[in-house]
Amino acid sequence: MPDGEIITGTVAIAGRLDKALAGAADLSRERVKGLIAAGAVQIDGTTARNGSAKVKEGAAYSISLPPPEMLAAEPQDIPLNVVFEDQHLIVINKPAGMVVHPAAGNRDGTLVNALLFHCKGQLSGINGVARPGIVHRIDKDTSGLLVVAKSDAAHEGLAKQFADHSIIRRYLAVCAGHPIPASGTITGRIGRSDRDRKKMAVLPDDATRGKHAVTHYEVRQRLKHASLIECRLETGRTHQVRVHCASIGHALLGDPVYGRTPKGLRALLEDLGFRRQALHAARLGFRHPISAETLDFCAELPSDMRELIDETAR
């Protein structure tokens, strides 16, 4: 849920106010506590003052989210693997370990810092000074392709394609075990976990929060205690591949949040120093938002994932 707006609704489950609002509004519990302390929360028209207060089921709430404090990123001369570039957009093959845009704890060294230097500041301004040009993102420890808008017109055109799910996105991943069947579709609403607000989770079908998500998968290679799979995304939710694969009992190898390394592979991953989710955005296809030309890009697996696959194929 973006900042700078008012969230309204009704409490679904009675209980502590901060916990009830966190679930209803899909915010972290700590965020809700801070908003209550700032006087930004109203329950049935009355300003809430105490997060531990009890709230009744059906109570109407209103949360005023303050506008974000946008910090301008600084250009930095960081090498980029540019797959395609013209005056409207740029496609990057991002290495694992690089954060896409500045945030708390990662103010520099990000893809945005590198893009500002490379593009001499000529990036779309739609997402503000902290995320110029960013239409979509991939996780810090996921490698692979993403497209960045250099103009507002390109940004709007790309955003529309992401919204109508016409973008082609294929991920290669190494998951634990051997999925049965070897190909299939994983569906389920994805939203913040009730047990750990820092994690995403597949929510019940009747949940009123979270977003519908669809992932198609196919086993490409059967490995020792693992499988190389291709995932085709219909939607693009936060941590979608990682959460969906974990939900069917085949979490990605190396995933520190959603996975647990199979016992038979722990020593190997330690020897390889493989400490990230084995996930790579391998293919990205879309219609050029200005010329309408069909563009389709592929990025080979990075060396760490190739080594992991080679070692588990023996």
Side-chain angles (χ1 to χ4, degrees):
M1 182 71 69
D3 284 346
E5 60 183 73
I6 297 177
I7 306 174
T8 59
T10 56
V11 174
I13 302 175
R16 275 184 63 113
L17 176 60
D18 51 10
K19 184 177 180 180
L21 287 183
D26 203 16
L27 296 170
S28 72
R29 197 161 168 183
E30 289 304 311
R31 185 78 197 282
V32 170
K33 289 178 181 178
L35 290 166
I36 292 172
V41 176
Q42 289 199 331
I43 301 296
D44 288 333
T46 301
T47 300
R49 299 296 181 190
N50 188 349
S52 63
K54 301 298 182 182
V55 63
K56 296 180 180 179
E57 178 183 346
Y61 67 82
S62 173
I63 304 174
S64 299
L65 295 175
E69 295 182 16
M70 302 299 281
L71 300 177
E74 296 293 330
Q76 291 181 296
D77 186 3
I78 301 169
L80 288 173
N81 185 349
V82 178
V83 177
F84 173 88
E85 182 177 11
D86 64 12
Q87 69 187 93
H88 302 290
L89 56 87
I90 181 170
V91 177
I92 300 294
N93 184 4
K94 185 189 82 69
M98 176 180 270
V99 174
V100 171
H101 57 76
N106 291 290
R107 293 299 182 192
D108 57 17
T110 72
L111 178 64
V112 162
N113 295 111
L115 286 167
L116 286 170
F117 182 90
H118 177 88
C119 300
K120 298 178 174 58
Q122 296 177 351
L123 295 168
S124 164
I126 287 178
N127 269 343
V129 296
R131 294 186 291 174
I134 301 302
V135 185
H136 68 125
R137 58 182 291 275
I138 55 180
D139 296 334
K140 172 186 175 183
D141 289 325
T142 298
S143 55
L145 298 167
L146 77 164
V147 59
V148 176
K150 296 171 71 174
S151 67
D152 286 358
H155 194 131
E156 291 171 354
L158 289 167
K160 183 177 181 181
Q161 292 179 65
F162 275 100
D164 65 21
H165 311 311
S166 61
I167 298 275
I168 296 172
R169 278 173 293 174
R170 302 283 193 277
Y171 284 76
L172 290 175
V174 182
C175 71
H178 305 115
I180 299 175
S183 63
T185 298
I186 310 168
T187 60
R189 299 181 70 83
I190 291 180
R192 295 210 173 271
S193 167
D194 289 325
R195 290 181 290 183
D196 185 346
R197 302 294 296 176
K198 295 180 181 179
K199 295 173 62 173
M200 307 302 286
V202 173
L203 305 176
D205 291 338
D206 60 355
T208 57
R209 59 187 181 85
K211 295 181 179 179
H212 176 67
V214 179
T215 303
H216 305 283
Y217 74 88
E218 181 177 356
V219 174
R220 295 275 297 271
Q221 186 177 355
R222 188 181 174 95
L223 307 168
K224 184 178 180 181
H225 303 302
S227 301
L228 171 63
I229 60 173
E230 180 182 84
C231 295
R232 177 169 64 86
L233 273 61
E234 278 193 24
T235 54
R237 310 308 181 198
T238 301
H239 298 177
Q240 179 171 320
V241 173
R242 299 165 64 188
V243 172
H244 268 172
C245 286
S247 75
I248 63 169
H250 298 285
L252 304 190
L253 293 191
D255 193 328
V257 178
Y258 302 103
R260 180 176 296 175
T261 303
K263 191 174 182 179
L265 291 178
R266 290 174 191 169
L268 174 61
L269 263 66
E270 187 63 32
D271 289 344
L272 294 176
F274 196 93
R275 296 183 179 88
R276 69 160 177 118
Q277 61 267 8
L279 183 62
H280 176 66
R283 183 180 172 194
L284 180 65
F286 54 89
R287 188 180 67 258
H288 193 291
I290 306 302
S291 71
E293 177 187 2
T294 297
L295 301 175
D296 200 342
F297 306 99
C298 292
E300 292 185 356
L301 282 167
S303 59
D304 64 340
M305 280 188 63
R306 287 202 308 270
E307 185 178 31
L308 175 64
I309 292 166
D310 288 345
E311 291 295 329
T312 51
R314 294 179 178 178

